[in-house]
Amino acid sequence: MFATLSDRLADTFKNLRGKGRLSEADIDATAREIRIALLEADVALPVVKEFVAAVKERARTEEVSGALNPAQQVIKIVHDELVTILGGEERRLRYAKSGPTVIMLAGLQGAGKTTLAAKLALWLKDQGKAPLLVACDLQRPNAVNQLQVNGGRVGVPVYAPEPGNGTGDPVAVARASIEEARRKLHDVVIVDTAGRLGVDAELMQQASDIRDAVQPDEVLFVVDAMIGQDAVVTAQAFLDGVGYDGVVLTKLDGDARGGAALSIRQVTGRPVMFASSGEKMTDFDVFYPDRMASRILDMGDMLTLIEQAEKAFDQESSMKAAAKLAGQGGEFTLDDFLEQMQQVRKLGSMSKILGMLPGMGQMREQLENFDEREIDRIQAIIQSMTPAERGNPKMIDGSRRARIAKGSGRQVSDVNQLVDRFFEARKMMMQMARGGGMPGMPGMPGMPGAAGGGKRGKAKQQVKKGKGAKKSGNPAKAAQEAAAAKERAAANPFGTPGEAIDYESAAANLDLPKDFSKFLK
């Protein structure tokens, strides 16, 4: 969503690199580019003015002028100010001290409230809660049925005494749902309310009546992040008409400019609490301002990636695979490789995962063209092999490769490529697991060109013969060095390292047998 903004900011910061200090003209030019980038991203004008003024003020301080790398310091300032306008820090849900916690969702039709209600319910369920979904959108056709279907997908019960489609009293349903939750021991109630295509008096009145009936602990305003400047206008209208405690951004995976996300917090004073970024029920999480700021500046989001990996990966199988790569517990096979690939698949879209890595904004085109079906093709090839072949890929000869290609619907070249890539990947992972470093990197143990590894390393270790220590051109100093060498030779009959050794005299000094000197060479 923030691709355009990220690219513009990256181009702006490129112009600062390599400068020992920033002049007033540099600061003004940078501020101008940041202003244009934010306006093009659909950020509200008052927010842009405040943001740029804060950046310019900090850029003129000692913080930047005294820095060794002014460009990096300016990037840090922009990051800090982005975090500030996004809310500073994440805001968690408030739970009721007694009785069920009531969460009411409000917003326009099409913002994704019904889907988000199920996503929130699943998230709460993972937190150890027992949520209940309540169908109070009785206006939109099939809204009640949609909530029931989504509730079934996430395994959360839905309270829907009215069929909807224009019939029933949403206020009465909301009021009755609290007693239903108490009776069935649900500790969280999520009320899905009706929306309209635009803000009107009837919508506001109904939302206010539901709010008064259930006295919610949290009112969350659900807004489509793709609607641009209108999101800010709608957010302000709901704040004045109904009031809410926090904002939930949906459709953050869209291709719109996304300025609404940067504007709502600053304009309304209400924090963004959650973000929805996909069609899956798991594409939902707490909104972290610092992580979002890092993504916008192409610094990656490693914390979110790590958290998702911890949820998706089977720790036991990962530990077994790591042990095999370290040389313990057998050999790392194609079965292990496929299992690890399937665990990575659980994280979701590969392009989204790679997009969380720092600097991947420069490879956006490649990520957008990434073929998500590649893992399916790899799985088809591996599962077309026999257990023996998966356990020992070295046995896969030409005829076996032809059979595997036919069984998986792929070309023989695809099988060859997979087997070759597997051996290369296994070799690299084994070396890393054993602490040997990355293959092919200069200076790494065991690699060509490294000390102690390869022909070049051995050549460097060979002692040059026939050359003694260099003598000084100053006669007095040369005599002093000769006397010192004589003393060292008396203490060590083999001389000092780097000097030519007279093995015959060394043997005589040690009083060894006459022909023993040949064993010293």
Side-chain angles (χ1 to χ4, degrees):
M1 168 157 281
F2 297 105
T4 305
L5 178 59
S6 296
D7 292 342
R8 284 299 300 261
L9 290 176
D11 291 340
T12 301
F13 298 140
K14 277 179 188 174
N15 299 330
L16 297 177
R17 292 192 181 118
K19 296 196 175 186
R21 61 181 298 275
L22 297 183
S23 65
E24 192 69 26
D26 292 330
I27 294 172
D28 288 339
T30 302
R32 190 183 311 112
E33 290 298 320
I34 292 173
R35 182 187 296 110
I36 293 170
L38 292 172
L39 289 172
E40 285 185 349
D42 238 359
V43 180
L45 183 58
V47 178
V48 174
K49 286 182 176 179
E50 190 174 336
F51 181 86
V52 173
V55 170
K56 283 180 73 173
E57 185 179 347
R58 286 186 60 183
R60 290 192 178 103
T61 62
E62 196 68 28
E63 180 182 3
V64 173
S65 60
L68 292 175
N69 192 327
Q72 288 183 358
Q73 205 65 29
V74 170
I75 294 172
K76 179 183 179 299
I77 290 171
V78 172
H79 178 270
D80 292 345
E81 294 302 322
L82 276 174
V83 173
T84 300
I85 69 170
L86 287 169
E89 58 183 23
E90 71 273 16
R91 150 89 150 76
R92 300 285 180 162
L93 281 173
R94 291 188 302 252
Y95 294 104
K97 292 181 180 178
S98 61
T101 299
V102 181
I103 301 171
M104 173 181 161
L105 304 181
L108 291 180
Q109 188 173 308
K113 287 193 306 300
T114 304
T115 303
L116 187 121
K119 289 184 176 184
L120 177 59
L122 177 61
W123 183 83
L124 287 165
K125 189 179 172 186
D126 291 341
Q127 305 295 312
K129 302 293 181 182
L132 173 70
L133 289 164
V134 181
C136 287
D137 183 357
L138 306 180
Q139 304 293 325
R140 182 168 59 87
N142 287 322
V144 173
N145 185 51
Q146 182 188 351
L147 188 64
Q148 288 172 328
V149 170
N150 287 340
R153 289 174 63 190
V154 298
V156 173
V158 178
Y159 180 67
E162 298 288 350
N165 297 322
T167 62
D169 182 0
V171 178
V173 171
R175 189 181 291 112
S177 69
I178 307 302
E179 286 304 317
E180 176 74 5
R182 287 197 181 101
R183 191 168 62 85
K184 294 192 175 178
L185 303 179
H186 293 285
D187 52 8
V188 181
V189 177
I190 302 170
V191 182
D192 177 30
T193 63
R196 297 284 192 282
L197 294 176
V199 176
D200 60 24
E202 185 182 352
L203 167 65
M204 290 301 180
Q205 187 60 51
Q206 186 182 103
S208 297
D209 291 344
I210 293 174
R211 181 199 62 201
D212 295 340
V214 298
Q215 294 294 311
D217 299 281
E218 296 276 14
V219 179
L220 301 182
F221 174 62
V222 182
V223 61
D224 182 348
M226 297 177 67
I227 65 175
Q229 289 291 324
D230 198 42
V232 179
V233 177
T234 307
Q236 190 63 52
F238 267 87
L239 184 63
D240 297 337
V242 182
Y244 51 82
D245 305 294
V247 178
V248 182
L249 291 172
T250 62
K251 307 178 188 177
L252 273 178
D253 56 327
D255 56 3
R257 290 170 288 184
L262 300 177
S263 305
I264 287 178
R265 167 65 177 83
Q266 201 75 350
V267 171
T268 65
R270 298 296 187 271
V272 179
M273 293 176 60
F274 296 101
S276 172
S277 58
E279 295 180 2
K280 293 182 179 177
M281 289 295 163
T282 51
D283 293 335
F284 174 87
D285 207 349
V286 175
F287 183 84
Y288 296 95
D290 53 341
R291 300 184 191 183
M292 183 56 71
S294 295
R295 287 195 201 186
I296 292 171
L297 295 177
D298 197 24
M299 295 176 181
D301 187 359
M302 294 303 295
L303 286 174
T304 299
L305 184 57
I306 291 166
E307 286 173 1
Q308 290 183 1
E310 286 176 344
K311 290 178 188 175
F313 275 43
D314 180 352
Q315 191 173 5
E316 187 178 345
S317 67
S318 297
M319 292 292 284
K320 285 181 182 176
K324 288 181 178 181
L325 289 169
Q328 304 163 3
E331 195 170 55
F332 188 81
T333 66
L334 276 165
D335 280 321
D336 300 313
F337 179 68
L338 177 59
E339 188 176 357
Q340 295 305 305
M341 292 281 282
Q342 289 170 334
Q343 291 203 47
V344 169
R345 188 65 176 270
K346 290 179 186 176
L347 289 173
S349 164
M350 285 298 294
S351 55
K352 189 182 291 186
I353 294 166
L354 294 171
M356 292 184 189
L357 300 176
M360 293 305 286
Q362 299 169 26
M363 302 176 64
R364 187 169 292 114
E365 188 175 342
Q366 292 92 318
L367 289 179
E368 288 173 353
N369 294 326
F370 183 84
D371 190 351
E372 297 285 349
R373 295 172 296 177
E374 185 62 27
I375 294 180
D376 294 331
R377 297 187 186 108
I378 292 171
Q379 182 172 323
I381 293 172
I382 294 176
Q383 290 181 337
S384 296
M385 299 175 184
T386 65
E389 289 168 344
R390 292 198 294 269
N392 181 20
K394 291 179 181 177
M395 70 185 293
I396 304 176
D397 55 19
S399 60
R400 290 176 184 267
R401 294 185 187 213
R403 190 204 79 241
I404 292 166
K406 191 173 181 180
S408 60
R410 308 302 303 164
Q411 301 294 324
V412 174
S413 58
D414 296 328
V415 180
N416 293 339
Q417 189 179 32
L418 172 61
V419 174
D420 292 344
R421 277 163 55 190
F422 168 73
F423 284 125
E424 289 173 11
R426 184 172 69 174
K427 182 179 178 182
M428 181 186 75
M429 289 189 291
M430 286 177 70
Q431 181 147 358
M432 292 176 69
R434 293 171 183 175
M438 283 285 281
M441 294 293 286
M444 293 294 180
M447 302 318 303
K455 293 180 181 178
R456 192 178 299 173
K458 289 178 182 177
K460 284 184 179 179
Q461 289 185 329
Q462 290 177 357
V463 178
K464 294 180 180 180
K465 296 181 181 179
K467 288 187 180 180
K470 290 183 179 180
K471 295 182 180 179
S472 172
N474 186 328
K477 191 173 181 180
Q480 190 178 0
E481 288 173 352
K486 196 171 184 179
E487 287 179 15
R488 288 196 299 271
N492 178 9
F494 293 99
T496 56
E499 292 184 10
I501 299 172
D502 184 348
Y503 290 98
E504 291 292 343
S505 60
N509 289 338
L510 289 172
D511 197 22
L512 294 172
K514 184 176 180 183
D515 293 327
F516 196 82
S517 61
K518 66 183 179 181
F519 296 107
L520 298 175
K521 296 183 180 178

